[in-house]
Amino acid sequence: MSEKPIGVAVLGLGNVGTEVVRIIEESAADLEARIGAPLQLRGIGVRRVAKDRGVAEELLTDDIEKLVSRDDVDIVVELMGPVEPARKAIMAALERGKSVVTANKALMAQSTGELAQAAEKARVDLYFEAAVAGAIPVIRPLTQSLAGDSVVRVAGIVNGTTNYILSAMNDTGASYESALADASALGYAEADPTADVEGYDAAAKAAILASIAFHTRVTADDVYREGITKVSAEDFASAKALGCNIKLLAICERLVSGKGKHRVSARVYPALVPLDHPLASVNGAFNAVVVEAEAAGRLMFYGQGAGGAPTASAVMGDVVMAARNRVQGGRGPRESKYAKLPIASIGAIPTRYYVNMNVKDQPGVLSAVAAEFSRHEVSIAEVRQEGMTDPEGEPCGARIVVVTHRATDAALSDTVKALAELDVVQDINSVLRMEGSDS
Ligand code: NAP
């Protein structure tokens, strides 16, 4: 067994950092046996250095640059958060030949190229398993276990906050606003929930998954994104009637054109999911990722997508890998971007749609609506119509729900524009995609 300890610097002592430090300290003997050398905590970077932080005060420092530059630090574990100062700290660490482990999805979705190049130049590891879906191993299965297969699709529920809100709406019939208020009160949503509810967090994870799955550099800006703020209690009622749930999905797909050209689509939006699809029953703050590969078929990964201890589990897996590589003199897989596939625009993506609209209750309405779908070559799979009454109980029009067969986003957008201009259509209440069914 190697005598030389592996020095670790942890940047951040928040939800995740605290758990990582705890595991390094409490599991020291096991970690040493697995790595072949002891892991030694050299320092912890924080903003506030104080006695009351539950760790030896001499480990704490607010001088991040000095900490990551120390000669006795081999691995830097970045758990601070925003893109800056994390990017600067990671670049400094890589340039000084330290291996880096990070859970920072926003950073990895934006700056993978720069960081991967620096890791390559220094011939060190850059691992980020915890950046997508917390405890759930999905980066390593994609980069290693499936390295000999061809991934076709990765679809997942990768944001626990929005899944908690949507699950509550499905279970209780609550409005979006009321479900969000409950999620905030219970600590499932941040004081500013924008990154979660507008889909930015899921888009960052989709970019990371698409990059790895399709060997193409995809950034968060390449990901089409819609959040959940417009999903209504009425959408859930309609979804139930259609045998569906509504989930915020991150979808990464390799599309093949008629001429055999491959493109990548990465997108995030709320979608109706048939109840017999494995993602329909992933509820509460849980995450799940379904991977479809040519030879392996469908694989599903499910578990806790956030939280200090679950996320620390994924971080520590990376730390042990990086430490073993230090001891044994090897390196993990590098960034693979050889395929360089073009990104498909959302307008070209074929999916099924659900359109919910209020119409006048008069003869010929249904045929006028159907004619617009037909004129734009969007084929209708199912139509439901119900009468509506005003608060006094008087009839006041009708609601029509249309579910289409597969159509491109561009064709559907044109259809919806044309429907909105029809005299008989009073309001387009919502347009959602339907995923997970083939027709
Ligand atoms: P957190 O609780 O907000 O903790 C952040 C820590 O970083 C704090 O200890 C803070 O120091 C330190 N820090 C922030 N800015 C700093 C600066 N400029 N200089 C020095 N220290 C600084 O965050 P977290 O929830 O543990 O998340 C950490 C990372 O993991 C983020 O990238 C997050 O996206 C990712 N992640 C988190 C989860 C999760 O469930 N929480 C899941 C997956 C991934 P002070 O304590 O002194 O303020």
Side-chain angles (χ1 to χ4, degrees):
M1 188 168 283
S2 164
E3 292 296 315
K4 190 173 172 292
I6 301 293
V8 179
V10 176
L11 311 182
L13 190 62
N15 296 314
V16 186
T18 303
E19 291 297 323
V20 164
V21 167
R22 181 186 63 74
I23 295 171
I24 290 176
E25 289 178 339
E26 288 180 6
S27 305
D30 280 335
L31 292 169
E32 178 174 353
R34 292 171 201 172
I35 292 164
L39 269 189
Q40 281 183 3
L41 198 52
R42 305 294 190 205
I44 304 169
V46 288
R47 278 177 297 214
R48 189 177 60 85
V49 175
K51 283 198 175 74
D52 61 352
R53 304 215 50 170
V55 295
E57 196 187 347
E58 61 272 19
L59 283 173
L60 295 174
T61 177
D62 57 6
D63 191 341
I64 302 292
E65 190 157 356
K66 189 168 168 201
L67 176 58
V68 304
S69 306
R70 278 173 58 158
D71 288 341
D72 60 354
V73 166
D74 301 288
I75 300 171
V76 170
V77 184
E78 186 281 306
L79 303 167
M80 291 190 292
V83 169
E84 291 295 355
R87 192 197 64 84
K88 193 165 165 244
I90 291 178
M91 283 302 287
L94 293 170
E95 280 161 6
R96 286 164 180 79
K98 322 294 184 191
S99 292
V100 169
V101 173
T102 178
N104 195 327
K105 56 226 139 185
L107 175 64
M108 291 313 294
Q110 178 187 300
S111 303
T112 317
E114 180 191 17
L115 302 179
Q117 271 169 23
E120 190 56 40
K121 198 167 164 205
R123 306 194 64 73
V124 293
D125 288 323
L126 170 63
Y127 287 140
F128 47 93
E129 180 66 67
V132 179
I136 307 171
V138 60
I139 304 289
R140 194 157 283 117
L142 283 171
T143 45
Q144 297 189 28
S145 317
L146 291 166
D149 206 335
S150 288
V151 176
V152 179
R153 197 167 199 262
V154 182
I157 293 169
V158 292
N159 181 274
T161 303
T162 47
N163 203 46
Y164 182 88
I165 293 169
L166 294 175
S167 299
M169 290 175 75
N170 185 55
D171 293 347
T172 66
S175 68
Y176 165 74
E177 290 75 17
S178 134
L180 170 62
D182 285 352
S184 303
L186 292 166
Y188 285 107
E190 307 255 346
D192 176 1
T194 310
D196 293 320
V197 299
E198 294 292 359
Y200 289 101
D201 175 83
K205 293 165 180 170
I208 296 170
L209 291 171
S211 300
I212 296 169
F214 305 123
H215 307 278
T216 293
R217 199 175 280 159
V218 180
T219 68
D221 291 341
D222 296 320
V223 180
Y224 176 81
R225 176 191 54 76
E226 285 176 26
I228 64 163
T229 55
K230 292 187 189 132
V231 178
S232 66
E234 192 190 317
D235 290 329
F236 271 98
S238 300
K240 263 189 193 159
L242 293 164
C244 293
N245 200 341
I246 299 177
K247 296 292 180 189
L248 182 71
L249 300 182
I251 300 171
C252 312
E253 250 176 336
R254 178 161 50 88
L255 305 167
V256 189
S257 73
K259 291 176 186 159
K261 287 206 164 157
H262 290 225
R263 286 170 303 156
V264 167
S265 163
R267 50 196 202 266
V268 167
Y269 44 61
L272 275 74
V273 181
L275 291 177
D276 60 1
H277 190 279
L279 292 176
S281 49
V282 174
N283 287 319
F286 278 84
N287 282 194
V289 178
V290 175
V291 178
E292 287 167 46
E294 282 178 8
R298 186 188 270 181
L299 307 165
M300 183 161 174
F301 303 84
Y302 170 86
Q304 298 192 63
T311 307
S313 162
V315 169
M316 286 308 299
D318 283 351
V319 169
V320 168
M321 288 296 158
R324 278 183 185 154
N325 290 342
R326 290 260 158 181
V327 170
Q328 292 164 9
R331 279 182 69 202
R334 304 130 212 215
E335 185 193 26
S336 170
K337 56 176 173 42
Y338 73 90
K340 294 188 175 63
L341 299 180
I343 310 291
S345 78
I346 188 71
I349 307 302
T351 43
R352 301 186 69 192
Y353 293 89
Y354 146 97
V355 183
N356 179 323
M357 66 198 111
N358 291 353
V359 296
K360 289 182 183 165
D361 197 3
Q362 64 186 49
V365 171
L366 208 48
S367 61
V369 165
E372 284 308 331
F373 279 89
S374 164
R375 196 162 70 81
H376 293 89
E377 297 184 3
V378 178
S379 163
I380 293 177
E382 192 172 341
V383 179
R384 286 166 182 263
Q385 180 172 6
E386 60 186 51
M388 296 191 308
T389 50
D390 65 18
E392 278 79 46
E394 295 295 318
C396 66
R399 178 167 300 129
I400 293 181
V401 169
V402 175
V403 176
T404 75
H405 289 296
R406 275 176 182 270
T408 62
D409 208 278
L412 198 276
S413 298
D414 290 346
T415 309
V416 170
K417 266 188 218 136
L419 287 169
E421 280 167 19
L422 284 183
D423 188 40
V424 293
V425 173
Q426 293 167 327
D427 281 307
I428 306 283
N429 300 318
S430 58
V431 178
L432 290 170
R433 293 166 182 84
M434 184 183 265
E435 293 283 350
S437 66
D438 292 331
S439 40

